[in-house]
Amino acid sequence: MIQPLTPLAPAALIGLFRGAIDAPLVERGAARGLELLGRSHDFWSSLAVTELQRMAAGGNGNAQAELAWRHAHGDRVSRKPAAALRWALRSAEADCASGLAVLGWLLQHGCGLPRDAAEAARLFALSAQRGVPLAQYWMGRLLYLGNDEGVGRDFPLAVRWLQPAAAQGHAAAADLLARCYFFGRGVVEDRTAACRLWREAAAGGVASASYSLGMCLYGGVETVADPQAAIVHFRAAADGGVVAAMFVLGQCATFGVGMARDPDAGLAWYRRAAEGGSRDAEFELGECLAYGVGDGGRDLVGALRWWRAAAANGHVRAHLKIGHAFRWGDGIAEDKQAALAWYRRAAELGDASAWVWLGECHERGEGGEVDPVAARDAYARAATAGDVHGLAEHGRCLLHGLGGAAAPEQGEASLLAALGAGWQQARGELERHWFGRGMALLRSASDAADPALKEAVACLRRAATSGHRRAAFMLGECLRHGTGTAIDRIEALAWLRRAAALPDAKVILGDLYYFGQGVPRDAVEAFRWYQSAATEHQDAYAMYSCGYCLLHGEGVGRDVDAALGWLRRAAQQGEIDACHELGMAYLRQGRTGRHLARRWLRAAADLGHAGARRVLDEVASGLHPA
């Protein structure tokens, strides 16, 4: 029902990486509007509150700015926006560059006063021009992200402010500048520089930078892939609250990438990431529970709960999984109509494979009436969206006229395209189509000169070339007898060999070698093929042939008892020549075998064997020496 779990390849992880590092709110706490990655100045942030309050009251602008910052987000003092605004205004009125920056931040986030992004930008610029790293970072960040309040995105200008902040050791500025270099935003793309900056920012404690650096090491971005080193940085990022890092650690632990494989640890990381809101982790947690990854065993109810969470969080594939659960009653009561609804949601959200499942339900009448037209339409939608399974199913509809007019050529082309794209199941559909078409043409031919026979051979050849054994057998027979093509016993032999898993192909191969048709006569090889068909498939003619060879020492040492055994088994299945040969063998035994000889010769005669009838007449008239 569900595809087995597979680890994300480096390329897929880099895709995840791009989305995560480009998100403006990767850092823990940023969603609450709090910038946790910077301080106005390390010296001021290290001061005790009492000392800071004394200096601020004495008119020190930097102390006032730091005190305002602490009140803004409750750092070692109670969170009081009004107090933050009061101290920030006093610092700014004293023309303190740090105070201007903090006041700008309060305006940007509407902390203690109405939001005013334009005024915030003006204050950031004033402070940044005076060399305050925090203001330079905030200015660069504002320009990098832009907003809906009059400040547009301006990557070149953002880089201009981020560079001096990063040069002064501002870790968060280095992290954001690395993004600019990684994506080539406002600066020439330089991933080596991006990795260097992320390394600096990670050393400065920026969790998102640790994650980004880990992804570069994992995927081999501008360096040799080093999953073990990546794990170190992922752990640092996870400790800093980066949910994406927790998810990747879940992948690495589950599949043993960069660390010893530990499915239980993987589950724990997935759970942490899922509880942190990662829809990818919610989905993978559902997958693990569905398959029983880890010591906890399968938990379909739990799997469904996490898939629901992932679906509510916008994970498209989770909708499909919920559809499967309803369709087959996994972790919930079976409900075909609910399955259809979930499949439809997944399809409408962009999961192309969901159209295939919808088509299958419509075709089989699951969740409603059988509706081949709707099935064909769903398969067509899947094919249009690039799903190779859908392409194959739509080709099948076109081939056989399911849900609309048949279009064999288009159907064949779709199936060939699906096969070329790796959908191996299309091969079987094509083989069956070509073989069926070939056999229909063979049956419809009026005589040996009918042009349909040539087309039949062409269809059989396509099916046989693709691997259809029965088609290979029939093609061999056409070549052997000159049906629709010139006789070519050598090529016939080659096709019959390809069909040798079939009992009748083995029998004919035995005959070809026994009679030397297309190959030098080889009774040993003939007996090998007869014996295979007899022992593996209980073919009556092959049993007769084995008995005949053993009776007369053809390709094998003479063994009368073994010969009689094979002939008897074939005769009991009504093999006419076996009945005759068995009767003649008993007849040659004289009086001891005459009764059995008459029994089997009569059986052969009743089946129409003229030679057996003649021998019986000779025995009755006393002309036969026995």
Side-chain angles (χ1 to χ4, degrees), residues 6 103 105 181 289 337 359 417:
T6 53
L103 183 59
W105 187 90
Y181 276 107
L289 293 173
Q337 290 183 328

Side-chain angles (χ1 to χ4, degrees), residues 463-489:
T465 301
S466 182
H468 196 287
R469 289 173 178 168
R470 180 57 62 179
F473 171 76
M474 292 304 301
L475 179 58
E477 286 293 86
C478 289
L479 288 160
R480 192 160 73 99
H481 298 289
T483 304
T485 184
I487 292 176
D488 188 335
R489 291 194 174 92

Side-chain angles (χ1 to χ4, degrees), residues 216-538:
C216 289
L217 289 165
Y218 185 99
V221 177
E222 296 302 312
T223 183
V224 176
D226 188 346
Q228 290 181 323
I231 294 296
V232 174
H233 292 287
F234 289 147
R235 288 187 183 278
D239 289 343
V242 177
V243 173
M246 300 174 194
F247 170 71
V248 176
L249 282 168
Q251 288 274 303
C252 292
T254 300
F255 300 104
V257 180
M259 64 173 74
R261 185 174 180 274
D262 187 343
D264 288 309
L267 276 172
W269 280 115
Y270 283 148
R271 196 174 297 277
R272 281 186 62 184
E275 290 169 352
S278 169
R279 65 185 183 187
D280 292 308
E282 290 167 339
F283 178 79
E284 289 297 337
L285 192 53
E287 290 283 270
C288 290
L289 293 173
Y291 281 102
V293 174
D295 293 335
R298 296 187 73 196
D299 180 1
L300 294 175
V301 174
L304 183 60
R305 183 174 66 252
W306 283 110
W307 283 331
R308 283 186 181 278
N313 209 1
H315 196 290
V316 177
R317 193 78 177 165
H319 290 77
L320 185 69
K321 297 293 186 175
I322 298 170
H324 289 333
F326 274 110
R327 185 179 181 189
W328 288 295
D330 289 338
I332 197 169
E334 183 181 298
D335 188 336
K336 304 291 188 184
Q337 290 183 328
L340 274 178
W342 281 101
Y343 285 157
R344 191 169 288 109
R345 289 181 206 170
E348 290 169 352
L349 287 170
D351 190 321
S353 68
W355 287 113
V356 180
W357 295 104
L358 270 173
E360 188 176 280
C361 289
H362 287 312
E363 187 175 354
R364 297 179 180 180
E366 295 184 21
E369 298 293 326
V370 172
D371 191 342
V373 175
R376 180 166 171 164
D377 176 67
Y379 293 144
R381 287 172 177 264
T384 301
D387 185 88
V388 293
H389 185 186
L391 185 63
E393 294 297 340
H394 187 232
R396 179 175 60 84
C397 292
L398 292 168
L399 205 62
H400 302 295
L402 176 68
E409 291 185 2
Q410 294 178 30
E412 188 175 313
S414 293
L415 285 162
L416 284 169
L419 181 61
W423 189 257
Q424 293 302 314
Q425 291 90 326
R427 186 187 304 279
E429 191 67 46
L430 286 166
E431 290 173 0
R432 290 188 291 273
H433 166 64
W434 290 325
F435 176 69
R437 174 68 177 157
M439 293 302 294
L441 288 167
L442 283 177
R443 288 190 290 268
S444 70
S446 56
D447 54 48
D450 194 323
L453 293 175
K454 184 176 181 180
E455 186 181 348
V457 170
C459 288
L460 291 172
R461 187 178 295 278
R462 295 190 75 178
T465 301
S466 182
H468 196 287
R469 289 173 178 168
R470 180 57 62 179
F473 171 76
M474 292 304 301
L475 179 58
E477 286 293 86
C478 289
L479 288 160
R480 192 160 73 99
H481 298 289
T483 304
T485 184
I487 292 176
D488 188 335
R489 291 194 174 92
I490 294 176
E491 188 183 356
L493 182 71
W495 285 112
L496 288 166
R497 278 187 170 278
R498 291 181 66 170
L502 303 175
D504 37 3
K506 291 176 180 177
V507 168
I508 290 173
L509 283 165
D511 281 349
L512 291 178
Y513 280 105
Y514 186 87
F515 296 107
Q517 297 176 342
V519 289
R521 188 175 187 278
D522 187 340
V524 174
E525 184 69 3
F527 181 77
R528 187 176 73 82
W529 286 111
Y530 290 145
Q531 188 178 44
S532 177
T535 56
E536 295 175 25
H537 308 287
Q538 288 72 53

Side-chain angles (χ1 to χ4, degrees), residues 580 583-590 594 597-598 601 611-626:
H580 172 256
M584 292 303 295
Y586 281 123
L587 196 61
R588 284 190 289 272
Q589 292 180 1
R594 181 170 292 185
R598 286 177 176 172
L601 285 169
R613 192 174 294 115
R614 185 175 61 254
V615 172
L616 283 172
D617 290 342
E618 291 173 354
V619 170
S621 61
L623 297 177
H624 199 280

Side-chain angles (χ1 to χ4, degrees), residues 551 564 567 571 576-589 593-602 604 612 615 624:
L551 191 64
L564 292 176
L567 290 170
I576 184 171
D577 289 319
C579 293
H580 172 256
E581 195 65 39
L582 188 59
M584 292 303 295
Y586 281 123
L587 196 61
R588 284 190 289 272
Q589 292 180 1
R594 181 170 292 185
H595 174 72
L596 289 173
R598 286 177 176 172
R599 172 189 168 188
W600 289 113
L601 285 169
R602 189 174 295 111
V615 172
H624 199 280

Side-chain angles (χ1 to χ4, degrees), residues 15-66:
L16 177 69
F17 171 42
R18 284 178 176 274
I21 68 170
D22 199 28
L25 302 177
V26 169
E27 301 84 6
R28 180 177 62 177
R32 301 193 303 272
L34 299 178
E35 175 55 73
L36 302 184
L37 300 176
R39 294 286 187 273
S40 57
H41 194 283
D42 288 341
F43 170 74
W44 298 106
S45 65
S46 65
L47 289 178
V49 173
T50 54
E51 180 64 14
L52 193 64
Q53 289 173 330
R54 184 187 66 76
M55 295 177 69
N60 188 300
N62 285 317
Q64 293 166 342
E66 176 66 19

